Amino acid sequence: MEYLAPEKTADAVKLLAKSKGSVHVLAGGSDLLVRMKGGYVEPDVIIDIKRIKTMQEIKKGATGFSIGAAVSCSKMGEHKALRKAWPGVVEAANLIGSDQIQGRCTIAGNLCNASPAADSVPALIAAKAVAVIKGPKGTRRVAVEDIATAPGKTCLKKGEVVEYIQLPKRAAKMADAYLRFTPRTEMDIAVVSAAVNLTLGPRGVITHARVALGAVAPTAVLVPEATKILKGGKLDDAKLEALAEICNAACRPIDDKRGTIQFRTHVAGVLAKRAARLAYTRAGGKL
Amino acid sequence: MSVLVSSIINGDNIEFACEPDETLLDALRDRVGMTGVKEGCGTGDCGACSITLDGALVCSCLVLGAEAEGRSIETVEGMSDGNVLHPLQQKFLEHAALQCGICTPGFLIAAKSLLEKNNDPTEEEVRYALAGNLCRCTGYDKIVRAVLDAAKQMRKA
Amino acid sequence: MGKDTQLTDRVFKSVGTRPMRPDGIDKVTGRARYGADHNMSGQLHGSILRSPHAHASIKSIDTSKAEKLKGVKAIVTAKDFKTKGITDPDLLDIIDNCMASKKAFYDGHAVAAVAAVDAKTAKAALKLIKVEYKILKHVTDVDEAVQPKAPLLNNKCFTKGVDPTPDKASNIAKRSEFGHGDVAEGFEAADVVIERTFKTGQSHQGYIEPHACVASVGPDGTGELWVCTQGHFVFRQQCAKILGLDEAKLKVTSSEIGGGFGGKTHLWVEPVALALSRKANRPVKLVMSREEVFRASGPTSATSIDIKMGVTKDGVITAAEAELRYTSGPYAGSWATLGAMTSFACYDLKNVKTVGLEVLVNRPKTTAYRAPSAPMAAFAVESMIDELADRIGMKAIDMRIQNAAKEGTRSSYGPVYGPIGIGPTLDAAKKHPHMSAPLGPNQGRGMACGFWFNFGGQSCTDLNIGSDGTATITVGTIDVGGARASLALVVAEELGIPYDQVKAVIADTTALGYNEMTDGSRGTFASSMSAIQSCRMAIADMRQRAATLWEIDVDEVVWENGHAYAGESGLNDSNSNHPPLSIADLAKSADKTGGPIAGHAQIVADGAGVSFATHICDIEVDPETGQTRVVRYTVIQDAGKAVHPTYVEGQFQGGAAQGIGWALNEEYIYGEDGRLQNAGFLDYRIPVCSDLPMIDTQILEIPNPNHPYGIRGVGETSIVPPLAAIGNAVSNATQVRMTHVPMSPPRILAAIHAEAASDD
Amino acid sequence: MNKVFLWGGLRPAAGGAEFVEIEALTIRELLRKLAERHPKLETLIDSEIAVSINGTIYQDDWSKKIPKDAEIYLLPRIEGG
């Protein structure tokens, strides 16, 4: 096996494009090294992107935040402005594994690992985040919900690497929230999860809403019908009940070691309601 | 083909050679002889191999040895100051915060990392900060007490 | 060992204090050496090929390609383990489990092993070994396995304990029955009779250190084994038999042990490492991965328990009956027997009958796990007690107190009890502030009692006094959680010297006589008994030496507070011309009085006292998700005499935490293919720090009359009550009776929804 | 004369008896006499038996003295964790 640690994105792209065999990008490594240990992958080439300075940065610009692909989740947690603007995204990132894992793992890696249960992905989908991908043919921008195509599969092509994740600009009265269900308080994989991102107008009226669910389908899913239900008017019990129902209906889960179809479907609605309440109060709404 | 790696381990410049797909945990144990770093799972689920890498708390089983080039590593072997134990080490002994002791190095490193960020944690903060370290013997009670007590002593110092 | 009449009013000086452990500094600095921390010159890397099938005949194994790979030094399969001449069925099972011969009985069963120059080569070699399997139908569920048409694991398994022995093979390896009285009559006399079925999942001990060893065997049959184990003498005996070596020529050194809880009482990889080493004539290191630990080292039994109990409206239990089915993996064990023995042991029952069925399934071989088999039985019994109490409108604690076993009670497993501690733990529970603390919304309180036998067995110790008067106590029982501190305290007490002048050491198998394993809560109980005798032997010797020095008769020498005094009344004898001699004084002149001062004892430490505990816990249940939170937990247990109270508390807390994990989330989950789905810490879900509250403890000291200091074992009982205590708390919080452990959120939520549906 | 109770698992080998009456001063003597009377018990005695004397369980010590009129209960050997 070859270990390569380029210092520029362009070099990473070149190496990815020309390397033969089983080629893997190493961001945080918290998924890749586990799969190597279990013998599920045997890379011929590993390209470590952590030495690429631009990929290690969180930048706040006119269009919002960009989070480099090699930024660890714990670094996101330490970034005050990011935390204030995107509390749901940051709390999702800070729920992945333990402090030890968060010291390594990245949201870009979480996204590209393409697990339906990835914690940060529903939050990023609700946030309308975009993955900025560099490849041999240049740059393309892909909505995060379109990255994973199936469990463990992404739309990334040979030679492509996510350079950073772009989060939209925030104004006042906007907030998001992410909640997941795990049997343990920590160190667990989401059995089901929900992210809600809300924008409020005057008098607490919801003007924009995005809801995403995790671990209830082959990939994390956006629930567009939830937007219709939440938009217009304040967050009240009727809206919450309708939200829960629509979320239940959006679930296409499986029975596995982590949970049952019945359980996931029911709890998806429960978490969506709770996340909506949390996002609403965070955005300044009164329940 | 082996990779030659130069790192600063517990303040000392150390060079070691390892396979490119070898974890830092294996390199530390088998190449450098730091067997205080323990393997409980090899998948980041138990925290027994916790170290700090350029100050960040990580599981060394989820880091490649090759990644340590030029980086600074701290392990339990470097915790005490000469022959004076770190307050956490001392409090772990006083509170009997260990039974079998296999998880202890990882707990000490994780607790030290916590106290460097937060010198006055609540019980709940300690519990969440140490959630990445499994202990099967103690039920965590005495570990949490030891960390809280060490924090108290370190604030006085 | 006779009774010590002083024991109830004895004033201890060292015993009962809380000094730091002697092995502590090594463990907080990373210096302590565990199983995988040892290396030998020329050492090879051992690796095991395991069956991917739950149940399969092994048609052939072709190792020829692997043998040709550069760097491969030895390969072994079942052919390398000679069973000729071995008659002990347990040993034959151990061998078959270490290396499958005809059949792979579970996913993870070893079929071949390689020793190579490094891990990479070993891994490559495993891939080159071709095993031809014939896949057989499997069964992993205990209730399915007892069905007449279930796939049969062993066509020579005819249920033992049934008269006449059945002529048809089944998966029921053994039936064992206990009890007395007439249960039918008892149920007639009851006002309320409840029948239920309880199930518990299979849990693993979950020690953080995976099994690891370094084996080295030379061509002359002389060997060494460095290993993490709960019993290196037992390992030596069994490995020597398996490999055909002389016991005396096999030196087994126990490393520091990173947790065992019963799981390291058993051989898993050690004979394989020894066989590889012998074949390669090089040392071989073999370390299990965590996945291998889950797949191929022994978890506890999964169970299914039918239980029936009757009670009068005044709260007298008139009859109790249970059939307990325990999985034991592919080989027979005595797990159901232990379940049947312990289930009703807390109560004074006139009519009781238990039947244990040992059930073979395609799961890894069951091993002991802390008070093996008792927690599952207690889950059923203690849940029933709560429900019966509720039905007759009595407080559950009062019903327990009313029916508790006491001195003179005929136990449900047969014998009549001597002085026991169940009553006092219940009285303490009733008075405990936890019992009357207010509960928050969605919270429930539960309690439960637990019992474990404890045992002693063969022990051997050496005491050696240094030339400066300090003492080394050498024992052959492994220290799993602070025993060296406890033994040093006992020796300090007996010799009358300070704790820090005593060093406790665990000897390898060349240095002492045979010692049983550290299991059955026997470590401190048995080793301390032997250590005390060693001390008394040395004291007798020192009295003689003082007499020689003083030129008086030995009867005129009194030993008190670590000193020899001339005169019959010792300390108070101011008329003596001879100033007292300390151990240091006597040691200084040892060369002139007969050479080194030492004591030795070899005993069968029988007479371990049974141990009881009562636990109280508060659980909060999220009614919308079934999520649980342990809000408060209290352990009350009889320790006999707590030698080092901090480590006694540690045992109580650790056992409770393991029980909590088992009660709430831990279990082996099997797929349709009979393969284990969650062979890792991530999805096995043992409790993390933020899952638990502080665990309060209350130590009761009801002396064991069979130990000179009154010591009972304390290690195991604390895992017995939690399953039921939590079950009762969850049931009280949700008003739904929980009958299936673990009470994972999906199960709790399903139970709440089912109850709501039945109410509609 | 001591009443020696047999746990359920032993009874088939002793012709179904719940207890047998044996006079013995030590565990060794007790087990020897028991095996003489019920030869089917012999293999079980060798490997699977513990002896309770007045409620205290003895797994190994065959030299243990049996007090007069003590209650003897034969039990399976216990394993622990």
Side-chain angles (χ1 to χ4, degrees):
Chain A
M1 193 201 97
E2 209 177 350
Y3 166 83
L4 303 166
E7 293 184 0
K8 290 199 170 101
T9 306
D11 294 340
V13 170
K14 269 184 217 153
L15 290 169
L16 279 167
K18 76 166 194 201
S19 296
K20 292 199 171 64
S22 170
V23 186
H24 293 263
V25 172
L26 174 65
S30 53
D31 288 309
L32 179 61
L33 266 71
V34 172
R35 284 194 285 149
M36 283 165 66
K37 170 96 184 172
Y40 303 106
V41 293
E42 288 181 5
D44 296 302
V45 181
I46 280 183
I47 295 167
D48 180 1
I49 57 170
K50 282 190 296 298
R51 307 252 170 193
I52 302 170
K53 279 217 177 70
T54 52
M55 287 205 192
Q56 282 283 8
E57 291 169 352
I58 300 175
K59 281 191 272 192
K60 191 182 171 188
T63 51
F65 288 89
S66 64
I67 300 161
V71 171
S72 71
C73 289
S74 63
K75 260 196 191 167
M76 287 174 66
E78 287 157 15
H79 198 287
K80 274 189 190 159
L82 180 66
R83 224 163 50 207
K84 188 158 182 281
W86 291 102
V89 170
V90 175
E91 70 198 354
N94 287 177
L95 277 172
I96 303 172
S98 57
D99 283 6
Q100 282 89 331
I101 305 291
Q102 287 150 30
R104 292 278 294 170
C105 70
T106 66
I107 53 169
N110 203 216
L111 182 63
C112 293
N113 189 50
S115 159
D119 275 313
S120 67
V121 178
L124 290 172
I125 293 175
K128 214 175 180 179
V130 168
V132 179
I133 299 167
K134 284 276 159 72
K137 290 181 183 165
T139 305
R140 62 185 182 117
R141 302 166 65 85
V142 177
V144 287
E145 57 268 37
D146 297 329
I147 293 286
T149 54
K153 297 223 158 50
T154 69
C155 68
L156 264 67
K157 298 188 188 87
K158 172 84 178 160
E160 286 190 329
V161 59
V162 171
E163 189 181 27
Y164 59 90
I165 305 277
Q166 181 77 43
L167 286 167
K169 199 176 166 214
R170 296 296 255 180
K173 297 202 172 182
M174 299 171 99
D176 64 339
Y178 172 79
L179 292 172
R180 67 163 186 191
F181 183 87
T182 58
R184 293 191 289 180
T185 49
E186 287 277 290
M187 287 306 292
D188 222 331
I189 302 283
V191 177
V192 44
S193 63
V196 176
N197 180 24
L198 298 176
T199 304
L200 306 190
R203 292 178 305 280
V205 171
I206 299 169
T207 57
H208 290 96
R210 268 171 83 89
V211 176
L213 301 173
V216 294
T219 63
V221 290
L222 180 70
V223 189
E225 301 84 352
T227 303
K228 284 177 214 149
I229 285 165
L230 290 175
K231 254 175 89 169
K234 293 174 154 188
L235 189 70
D236 56 20
D237 286 348
K239 264 196 194 326
L240 286 168
E241 284 316 313
L243 172 68
E245 251 172 64
I246 207 76
C247 285
N248 293 345
C251 293
R252 286 173 287 129
I254 53 167
D255 277 331
D256 70 2
K257 61 191 173 191
R258 292 180 184 140
T260 60
I261 292 171
Q262 230 181 353
F263 181 81
R264 287 184 156 120
T265 308
H266 175 79
V267 175
V270 172
L271 293 184
K273 282 196 285 186
R274 291 179 183 180
R277 280 200 202 101
L278 195 56
Y280 190 74
T281 49
R282 277 179 182 168
K286 286 201 180 72
L287 284 167
Chain B
M1 247 237 302
S2 286
V3 197
L4 193 65
V5 181
S6 306
S7 307
I8 302 154
I9 303 180
N10 298 323
D12 298 321
N13 293 315
I14 307 255
E15 277 198 359
F16 61 90
C18 69
E19 294 286 325
D21 58 354
E22 190 171 323
T23 63
L24 181 55
L25 166 63
D26 286 342
L28 285 170
R29 287 180 56 85
D30 301 338
R31 315 276 178 178
V32 188
M34 297 278 181
T35 53
V37 190
K38 303 298 180 193
E39 174 167 343
C41 67
T43 50
D45 301 315
C46 79
C49 68
S50 295
I51 58 162
T52 59
L53 182 67
D54 279 353
L57 178 68
V58 300
C59 288
S60 58
C61 71
L62 296 184
V63 179
L64 291 176
E67 290 182 63
E69 173 61 35
R71 306 226 189 264
S72 176
I73 290 164
E74 282 182 45
T75 73
V76 72
E77 283 91 344
M79 252 183 104
S80 44
D81 180 8
N83 65 0
V84 180
L85 293 178
H86 187 279
L88 276 162
Q89 292 173 311
Q90 185 63 31
K91 291 298 176 191
F92 265 57
L93 291 178
E94 286 173 19
H95 286 267
L98 54 138
Q99 283 176 33
C100 83
I102 192 93
C103 68
T104 308
F107 266 100
L108 288 168
I109 292 289
K112 183 166 173 260
S113 174
L114 164 70
L115 298 187
E116 278 163 6
K117 280 181 277 185
N118 177 359
N119 71 358
D120 192 8
T122 62
E123 181 194 327
E124 194 181 11
E125 284 168 338
V126 171
R127 287 188 180 277
Y128 276 87
L130 298 180
N133 296 77
L134 295 182
C135 169
R136 193 61 159 169
C137 294
T138 64
Y140 305 106
D141 182 296
K142 295 185 192 302
I143 294 175
V144 174
R145 288 178 204 275
V147 174
L148 289 169
D149 196 16
K152 196 171 153 193
Q153 188 189 317
M154 287 164 75
R155 287 196 301 277
K156 278 188 208 152
Chain C
M1 190 77 223
K3 289 187 184 186
D4 190 323
T5 48
Q6 308 170 339
L7 78 116
T8 42
D9 51 0
R10 176 164 186 152
V11 180
F12 291 100
K13 217 169 160 185
S14 293
V15 164
T17 61
R18 301 169 182 249
M20 281 199 252
R21 62 195 288 158
D23 52 317
I25 287 184
D26 282 353
K27 286 181 174 167
V28 298
T29 55
R31 263 179 265 173
R33 287 161 71 239
Y34 293 83
D37 299 339
H38 180 69
N39 295 301
M40 287 178 79
S41 182
Q43 171 183 297
L44 300 171
H45 183 100
S47 213
I48 295 179
L49 184 69
R50 297 183 179 280
S51 164
H53 308 298
H55 196 190
S57 294
I58 300 167
K59 310 296 281 181
S60 67
I61 303 177
D62 180 2
T63 58
S64 57
K65 276 192 184 158
E67 277 159 27
K68 284 181 197 126
L69 186 69
K70 197 172 156 48
V72 172
K73 302 294 178 185
I75 296 179
V76 296
T77 63
K79 280 190 292 186
D80 295 272
F81 294 89
K82 307 262 180 292
T83 50
K84 212 180 155 192
I86 298 177
T87 50
D88 177 358
D90 292 341
L91 203 62
L92 289 169
D93 286 348
I94 289 171
I95 297 169
D96 194 66
N97 188 49
C98 286
M99 198 54 77
S101 53
K102 295 191 178 75
K103 270 193 186 184
F105 282 114
Y106 54 92
D107 143 48
H109 199 164
V111 293
V114 171
V117 287
D118 56 26
K120 214 177 179 174
T121 311
K123 196 173 163 188
L126 290 186
K127 284 192 177 168
L128 294 174
I129 298 174
K130 291 281 164 278
V131 185
E132 194 191 335
Y133 294 102
K134 185 191 171 208
I135 297 171
L136 305 169
K137 280 190 182 161
H138 64 269
V139 61
T140 54
D141 182 80
V142 62
D143 286 329
E144 286 171 22
V146 296
Q147 296 303 317
K149 287 190 176 161
L152 207 54
L153 273 85
N154 179 349
N155 58 17
K156 293 196 183 80
C157 175
F158 304 98
T159 312
K160 279 191 191 172
V162 180
D163 192 34
T165 305
D167 50 14
K168 193 171 172 288
S170 75
N171 290 323
I172 302 172
K174 194 163 84 180
R175 178 187 187 278
S176 42
E177 186 182 324
F178 298 87
H180 54 258
D182 183 332
V183 287
E185 218 167 80
F187 286 122
E188 283 291 307
D191 294 312
V192 176
V193 175
I194 299 179
E195 271 182 89
R196 275 198 184 278
T197 298
F198 292 87
K199 288 194 89 157
T200 65
Q202 180 166 17
S203 64
H204 193 277
Q205 298 86 350
Y207 33 82
I208 308 299
E209 182 199 22
H211 299 269
C213 67
V214 184
S216 172
V217 185
D220 61 349
T222 300
E224 284 184 39
L225 180 68
W226 163 276
V227 59
C228 62
T229 170
Q230 288 175 246
H232 47 324
F233 287 92
V234 177
F235 273 32
R236 176 180 68 164
Q237 197 182 58
Q238 294 181 343
C239 285
K241 278 187 189 149
I242 292 169
L243 277 287
L245 303 170
D246 294 334
E247 266 187 56
K249 289 188 195 154
L250 180 61
K251 171 182 168 183
V252 182
T253 307
S254 58
S255 69
E256 290 293 342
I257 177 172
F261 317 110
K264 288 177 185 165
T265 59
H266 202 88
L267 295 171
W268 308 108
V269 296
E270 299 77 8
V272 178
L274 285 163
L276 284 168
S277 171
R278 179 162 65 180
K279 208 164 181 178
N281 192 19
R282 296 261 295 264
V284 173
K285 186 174 193 170
L286 220 167
V287 181
M288 268 188 166
S289 69
R290 177 54 53 186
E291 189 184 338
E292 286 179 291
V293 171
F294 274 109
R295 282 196 199 287
S297 74
T300 188
S301 306
T303 72
S304 173
I305 299 170
D306 296 331
I307 184 168
K308 182 176 175 185
M309 290 177 77
V311 66
T312 65
K313 53 182 185 300
D314 306 324
V316 177
I317 302 171
T318 56
E321 188 176 16
E323 181 184 281
L324 309 99
R325 297 172 292 276
Y326 280 58
T327 64
S328 79
Y331 312 101
S334 56
W335 312 113
T337 304
L338 291 171
M341 288 174 83
T342 57
S343 41
F344 294 105
C346 291
Y347 299 103
D348 183 357
L349 302 174
K350 298 288 170 281
N351 305 297
V352 58
K353 182 185 167 186
T354 58
V355 172
L357 299 179
E358 219 69 48
V359 184
L360 305 188
V361 289
N362 295 110
R363 295 177 180 233
K365 186 179 194 303
T366 292
T367 331
Y369 178 16
R370 207 169 196 158
S373 303
M376 308 81 139
F379 173 57
V381 173
E382 294 294 309
S383 296
M384 292 287 282
I385 300 242
D386 256 43
E387 196 171 357
L388 286 166
D390 189 48
R391 286 277 291 276
I392 60 166
M394 193 170 183
K395 278 189 178 164
I397 188 163
D398 292 332
M399 194 166 125
R400 286 186 171 89
I401 289 170
Q402 182 169 328
N403 292 282
K406 48 197 168 295
E407 190 166 357
T409 293
R410 174 162 304 282
S411 68
S412 58
Y413 58 91
V416 172
Y417 285 124
I420 54 169
I422 177 73
T425 66
L426 280 164
D427 293 339
K430 192 165 182 175
K431 280 185 217 133
H432 199 284
H434 186 168
M435 270 319 249
S436 51
L439 286 165
N442 298 319
Q443 292 181 359
R445 177 165 300 140
M447 66 174 301
C449 299
F451 160 88
W452 183 245
F453 300 99
N454 298 337
F455 54 82
Q458 298 181 71
S459 304
C460 186
T461 52
D462 272 343
L463 177 81
N464 286 292
I465 306 290
S467 62
D468 58 355
T470 59
T472 306
I473 179 74
T474 308
V475 301
T477 45
I478 309 300
D479 176 359
V480 292
R484 273 166 287 191
S486 299
L487 292 170
L489 280 170
V490 166
V491 169
E493 185 74 46
E494 196 61 29
L495 294 178
I497 59 176
Y499 165 81
D500 58 10
Q501 290 182 12
V502 183
K503 170 87 176 163
V505 175
I506 318 292
D508 66 54
T509 56
T510 62
L512 268 185
Y514 181 85
N515 277 268
E516 300 282 5
M517 295 188 271
T518 297
D519 66 346
S521 301
R522 65 173 291 278
T524 298
F525 165 76
S527 290
S528 68
M529 209 188 243
S530 186
I532 289 167
Q533 284 201 18
S534 298
C535 291
R536 289 181 182 174
M537 183 178 171
I539 289 168
D541 180 42
M542 286 189 281
R543 280 178 62 222
Q544 182 58 57
R545 289 168 195 250
T548 308
L549 287 170
W550 288 329
E551 296 176 27
I552 59 174
D553 194 273
V554 68
D555 294 340
E556 290 172 58
V557 181
V558 171
W559 190 269
E560 266 174 36
N561 279 339
H563 289 74
Y565 293 89
E568 283 174 7
S569 53
L571 270 177
N572 304 324
D573 193 346
S574 53
N575 296 328
S576 172
N577 293 325
H578 303 297
L581 291 169
S582 68
I583 294 182
D585 297 332
L586 288 162
K588 219 178 284 169
S589 61
D591 53 344
K592 305 291 187 295
T593 57
I597 302 168
H600 175 86
Q602 65 263 15
I603 62 167
V604 176
D606 268 328
V610 294
S611 168
F612 291 90
T614 295
H615 290 196
I616 314 163
C617 77
D618 297 349
I619 302 280
E620 186 172 301
V621 181
D622 181 337
E624 288 186 310
T625 64
Q627 175 79 289
T628 49
R629 185 169 71 90
V630 185
V631 180
R632 186 170 178 181
Y633 204 99
T634 303
V635 177
I636 302 161
Q637 188 179 318
D638 173 18
K641 175 70 202 169
V643 180
H644 191 307
T646 314
Y647 285 104
V648 172
E649 290 162 8
Q651 290 296 322
F652 290 6
Q653 290 163 336
Q658 285 186 315
I660 291 168
W662 190 351
L664 293 177
N665 287 306
E666 294 177 32
E667 73 176 314
Y668 270 43
I669 301 168
Y670 281 90
E672 288 289 311
D673 56 1
R675 302 199 66 195
L676 182 61
Q677 304 282 298
N678 57 336
F681 276 142
L682 182 63
D683 287 311
Y684 179 73
R685 295 172 171 148
I686 78 174
V688 299
C689 197
S690 46
D691 289 336
L692 296 174
M694 292 297 187
I695 296 169
D696 297 331
T697 56
Q698 189 177 344
I699 302 172
L700 303 185
E701 294 189 327
I702 299 149
N704 172 11
N706 302 308
H707 186 284
Y709 290 179
I711 295 168
R712 292 173 195 268
V714 297
E716 291 171 288
T717 310
S718 51
I719 201 175
V720 182
L723 275 56
I726 287 177
N728 287 334
V730 171
S731 298
N732 287 334
T734 59
Q735 296 306 308
V736 183
R737 176 54 49 191
M738 298 305 299
T739 58
H740 198 156
V741 158
M743 291 164 273
S744 59
R747 279 202 190 113
I748 291 177
L749 196 64
I752 293 172
H753 287 168
E755 182 81 2
S758 71
D759 286 350
D760 288 344
Chain D
M1 197 65 81
N2 293 92
K3 247 188 185 178
V4 181
F5 291 89
L6 310 175
W7 105 82
L10 290 182
R11 290 174 199 166
E18 195 182 334
F19 63 88
V20 287
E21 285 191 294
I22 289 179
E23 184 144 357
L25 292 174
T26 64
I27 292 180
R28 167 172 286 282
E29 189 184 349
L30 171 85
L31 296 180
R32 178 173 54 77
K33 287 185 171 169
L34 191 63
E36 280 166 13
R37 202 176 304 172
H38 299 287
K40 277 189 189 170
L41 279 172
E42 195 162 354
T43 52
L44 297 168
I45 287 170
D46 282 350
S47 58
E48 293 186 15
I49 282 185
V51 182
S52 162
I53 304 175
N54 287 334
T56 300
I57 299 171
Y58 297 87
Q59 298 230 103
D60 295 298
D61 189 355
W62 283 14
S63 67
K64 186 76 199 169
K65 294 252 187 314
I66 298 173
K68 203 169 162 18
D69 299 326
E71 184 213 54
I72 308 293
Y73 214 106
L74 300 190
L75 294 168
R77 289 181 68 84
I78 300 154
E79 291 178 66

